[in-house]
Amino acid sequence: MSEAIQILQENRRTAAGAPSVLNEFGEDEKSGQVGQQFKVGRVLLRRLRRICAVVVKGSAHEHVGMWYAGLVAGKLAAEVIYYYAGTQPSEFYRVLGDRNLPGFASLLGQCVVVVGLAGGCRATLEYVGGLIGVAMRQELTRYTHSRYLRAPNFYSAATSGTIDNPDQRITQDIERLARNGADVLAELLIAPFLIAYYTVQCWSMAGIYGPLAIYIYFGIGAAVTRLAMSPIIRQVYIQEQAEGDFRFHHVRTGECAESIAFIGGEDRERSAADRALKAVASAQQRVLGKQFRLGLLTQVFAYMGSTVSYVIIGVPIFMGSYDDKSGSELSSIISLNAFVSIYLIYRFTSVIELTKRLADVAGYATRVAQLWEELDRLDIEAEADDADSGASMRDSAAIVARGLDVCTPGGVRLVTGLDLEIGARDSLVITGPNGAGKTALLRTLCGLWQPGGGEVQLPYTSGAPDVLFLPQTPYIIGGSLREQLCYPGLWGGRHAMCSNADIDRILATVGLSHVVDIVGSSNLDYPYTVQAWLRLLSPGERQMMSIARVLFWRPKFVMLDECTSALDACAAETLYRALLDAGITVVSVSHSAYLERFHKHHLSLDGCGGYTLDGTR
């Protein structure tokens, strides 16, 4: 936790007080400043170190570090084969110059073997690198799931808007980070060894001036490309954000296709989709523009290397160091020196060219690490919320609110000083105008929102809250009918799975007996897709399914946020009667007067922070 606090403090300093991702880009782009978090600096290095630590310490692939060490060792071993393959041309110059037919035939056989080994090594290393990339993705994604998909982080991270497109960061950015990062890091790790070896070889042939010239050449290229790399990191980040917004628009229109079609909103959605596409295309063009500058520098640097190699060998030749050599011997020396010099330059060039890929990796790493850092912040805030707000959540046999202030996460006060106690079978209906805070009150009572002040007490059984909350829009999962009914599978500190008799009885109670007939009694465990369930169940039937889950779990209390709004009065009354008959105390948000008779008490919010509480019967 102390490391998380250090990272958060570092990010606050480098972001210059920007409260959100939008502000980071908006202000930075207008002022022309690039924040430290989009540079190759200690913030990026710390994030990469944390990512590596997560991969190495993963429980499912605990030997991935050894795999990676093996990959690096394999690359070094393969370079030995590549070296022998690269020296073959100089030998051909020698035997051809001497017209040595037996030597030529022997050398030809060696060349076939070496080239075959080189090709096999490269293919094997690419395969192993791909496997490591898959393992890295699994570890990074599992770690992110463990931090993101848990209470209370999930609701806050998914709804606050502080981090854009968490789904894209988890599904796409981690995949690209793992796929590119594994190979880039391996190349960077072996580069120093190869550079040292070919430096010695170049020195032995051309003297100190050979490697010195190459080092100066590389230093100039590295300095220039480093300056060109930082803008790419930020532009890759922005492009991924635009890609996420574009994908989200299409996902949302697909989910709301019926609503859009009913009101004829296709033209408007097409225009919105085109605007999102334009943003993606503009971001891609900016990335390409930045990459063009970097690519131009790296390509010029690479092609100029061959010229530099001949300058290096030309100096000792014209100084008379090789005057005692025959024509064929000199040709062989020139060829070998050209290979060594060009390969040394190539290794340097590879490092510079890797900066382009490293810029992409840094962009993906920044997006993934920012999600983790937001989850770190939520962890820290969750620990400090009670002390900071003066509110507390305590155990009780009833739902109790004393002096409760209901506020939005942004600090807008909706209800002030609420005193309320809901005991067993003291069902309560909550009414009021739109925006009065009815749903906000349920969120606060259930702990999704922190109270602005006062105290909340919840009923607990076996150390777990004994309250279920049902939203107006039911959540339908992919899976079998049994899993659909038993969702979430773990509740109130216990695992449970309903029997076939439970399925028949509960679904008959809520009016969904026909679902068993459609699915078939022999297919109760068949895993249907979400799309199949959404086609099978109407909006009203989905609400019935959510009530069926309550009847299966049988909590002491259930909070219903207009969760019968898609049902007719008769069906809604049947569901309420089933809940009360099961001994479940109901707390409802409702605009339907006919449902008030199922509640003993009535809480009316006036929309100005006040309320009235009285009995309905």
Side-chain angles (χ1 to χ4, degrees):
M1 186 63 72
S2 60
E3 182 179 358
I5 295 174
Q6 182 183 8
I7 292 174
L8 290 172
Q9 291 173 340
E10 182 69 32
N11 290 341
R12 290 191 184 102
R13 289 195 296 268
T14 58
S20 68
V21 174
L22 290 176
N23 287 341
E24 289 168 9
F25 292 133
E27 295 302 321
D28 283 349
E29 287 196 307
K30 290 177 182 177
S31 62
Q33 299 174 354
V34 179
Q36 175 67 26
Q37 59 179 324
F38 302 110
K39 282 186 176 181
V40 181
R42 40 182 199 178
V43 173
L44 176 60
L45 293 178
R46 183 182 294 122
R47 286 169 170 167
L48 291 174
R49 184 180 64 185
R50 183 179 183 184
I51 289 171
C52 291
V54 169
V55 171
V56 172
K57 295 178 182 178
S59 58
H61 295 276
E62 52 191 18
H63 300 302
V64 70
M66 298 178 60
W67 296 358
Y68 206 85
L71 176 65
V72 173
K75 282 182 173 288
L76 286 172
E79 287 295 335
V80 176
I81 298 176
Y82 301 156
Y83 173 78
Y84 281 106
T87 59
Q88 296 298 307
S90 64
E91 294 298 315
F92 275 112
Y93 275 112
R94 181 179 57 81
V95 298
L96 290 174
D98 293 341
R99 294 178 174 81
N100 184 354
L101 180 59
F104 174 78
S106 174
L107 186 61
L108 190 62
Q110 295 177 24
C111 184
V112 171
V113 174
V114 170
V115 171
L117 288 174
C121 285
R122 186 173 296 276
T124 302
L125 290 173
E126 288 179 356
Y127 173 71
V128 174
L131 292 179
I132 292 177
V134 173
M136 288 177 62
R137 181 185 184 184
Q138 286 181 287
E139 293 305 330
L140 294 174
T141 305
R142 284 196 183 102
Y143 174 79
T144 307
H145 283 171
S146 69
R147 300 290 314 284
Y148 177 67
L149 293 172
R150 71 175 186 185
N153 284 356
F154 171 67
Y155 180 79
S156 300
T159 61
S160 67
T162 305
I163 291 293
D164 67 277
N165 301 307
D167 59 316
Q168 182 196 29
R169 295 175 190 246
I170 295 172
T171 60
Q172 183 171 305
D173 293 338
I174 287 180
E175 186 275 331
R176 292 180 176 178
L177 170 63
R179 174 162 44 87
N180 293 282
D183 186 58
V184 169
L185 184 57
E187 290 294 330
L188 289 175
L189 288 176
I190 67 172
F193 300 99
L194 298 178
I195 288 173
Y197 176 78
Y198 284 102
T199 296
V200 173
Q201 293 293 319
C202 184
W203 193 333
S204 66
M205 295 181 183
I208 190 173
Y209 298 105
L212 182 62
I214 294 175
Y215 272 69
I216 294 174
Y217 182 61
F218 169 75
I220 295 172
V224 173
T225 53
R226 186 181 185 278
L227 294 176
M229 186 176 117
S230 291
I232 296 178
I233 300 176
R234 185 177 65 166
Q235 293 301 330
V236 169
Y237 185 105
I238 296 173
Q239 178 187 342
E240 291 303 309
Q241 183 179 13
E243 293 279 6
D245 293 340
F246 183 54
R247 188 193 67 253
F248 175 77
H249 178 83
H250 279 283
V251 170
R252 186 169 181 272
T253 52
E255 292 176 346
C256 304
E258 183 176 287
S259 300
I260 295 170
F262 268 134
I263 61 178
E266 291 88 350
D267 290 342
R268 193 271 176 194
E269 295 304 322
R270 183 174 62 253
S271 298
D274 288 343
R275 287 195 300 271
L277 174 61
K278 183 178 180 180
V280 171
S282 298
Q284 286 180 318
Q285 289 171 356
R286 288 194 296 270
V287 170
L288 289 173
K290 302 295 184 183
Q291 289 179 337
F292 170 75
R293 298 182 183 91
L294 180 59
L296 179 63
L297 293 171
T298 56
Q299 292 301 320
V300 169
F301 184 84
Y303 282 102
M304 190 66 69
S306 59
T307 302
V308 174
S309 69
Y310 289 113
V311 172
I312 291 172
I313 192 60
V315 172
I317 288 177
F318 291 119
M319 291 179 64
S321 299
Y322 296 110
D323 287 349
D324 59 333
K325 303 296 182 182
S326 65
S328 60
E329 290 176 327
L330 184 59
S331 297
S332 176
I333 292 172
I334 293 173
S335 174
L336 181 60
N337 177 82
F339 165 70
V340 170
S341 299
I342 290 176
Y343 204 81
L344 178 58
I345 294 173
Y346 164 73
R347 296 315 312 183
F348 277 124
T349 305
S350 297
V351 173
I352 294 178
E353 289 179 340
L354 282 174
T355 58
K356 181 178 178 181
R357 296 178 61 191
L358 183 60
D360 293 341
V361 169
Y364 304 138
T366 297
R367 289 180 58 79
V368 173
Q370 278 188 340
L371 176 58
W372 292 355
E373 290 157 10
E374 172 65 10
L375 297 174
D376 292 339
R377 183 186 68 81
L378 293 173
D379 282 339
I380 295 170
E381 286 187 354
E383 295 177 1
D385 266 336
D386 284 348
D388 292 342
S389 66
S392 63
M393 305 291 287
R394 304 191 180 193
D395 298 359
S396 171
I399 298 176
V400 179
R402 302 196 186 281
L404 179 64
D405 292 339
V406 178
C407 300
T408 67
V412 178
R413 197 172 298 273
L414 301 175
V415 182
T416 303
L418 176 63
D419 290 313
L420 177 67
E421 181 169 348
I422 309 170
R425 297 186 179 273
D426 286 339
S427 296
L428 172 75
V429 62
I430 305 171
T431 62
N434 292 331
K438 302 183 294 297
T439 300
L441 173 58
L442 296 191
R443 290 171 179 163
T444 304
L445 291 175
C446 287
L448 293 181
W449 286 5
Q450 288 297 318
E455 178 181 283
V456 172
Q457 299 176 8
L458 294 178
Y460 274 65
T461 298
S462 301
D466 209 346
V467 182
L468 264 180
F469 175 84
L470 294 188
Q472 182 175 357
T473 303
Y475 182 62
I476 300 299
I477 67 169
S480 67
L481 178 57
R482 193 185 312 277
E483 292 171 323
Q484 197 73 252
L485 182 58
C486 298
Y487 183 81
L490 170 64
W491 181 83
R494 67 184 194 276
H495 289 274
M497 190 61 68
C498 54
S499 65
N500 291 1
D502 289 333
I503 294 175
D504 292 334
R505 175 180 54 82
I506 294 174
L507 293 186
T509 301
V510 300
L512 291 177
S513 298
H514 62 282
V515 174
V516 178
D517 298 332
I518 295 174
V519 171
S521 58
S522 61
N523 293 323
L524 298 180
D525 294 304
Y526 182 82
Y528 293 95
T529 64
V530 175
Q531 293 81 358
W533 282 114
L534 294 178
R535 288 193 297 267
L536 174 62
L537 301 176
S538 69
E541 289 172 332
R542 297 169 201 168
Q543 292 185 334
M544 291 177 177
M545 183 64 74
S546 67
I547 298 294
R549 293 169 180 168
V550 178
L551 294 175
F552 169 72
W553 288 105
R554 298 177 70 91
K556 288 182 179 178
F557 294 83
V558 63
M559 297 189 183
L560 310 178
D561 186 9
E562 300 189 63
C563 62
T564 59
S565 59
L567 299 172
D568 60 74
C570 181
E573 290 177 355
T574 299
L575 295 180
Y576 268 85
R577 191 173 295 109
L579 291 172
L580 296 178
D581 290 345
I584 301 172
T585 302
V586 178
V587 179
S588 303
V589 169
S590 179
H591 292 287
S592 303
Y594 62 85
L595 292 179
E596 290 189 11
R597 65 190 182 88
F598 293 99
H599 305 82
K600 289 185 179 180
H601 301 285
H602 180 191
L603 174 64
S604 177
L605 306 181
D606 61 15
C608 299
Y611 67 92
T612 58
L613 177 63
D614 52 43
T616 60
R617 65 178 184 183

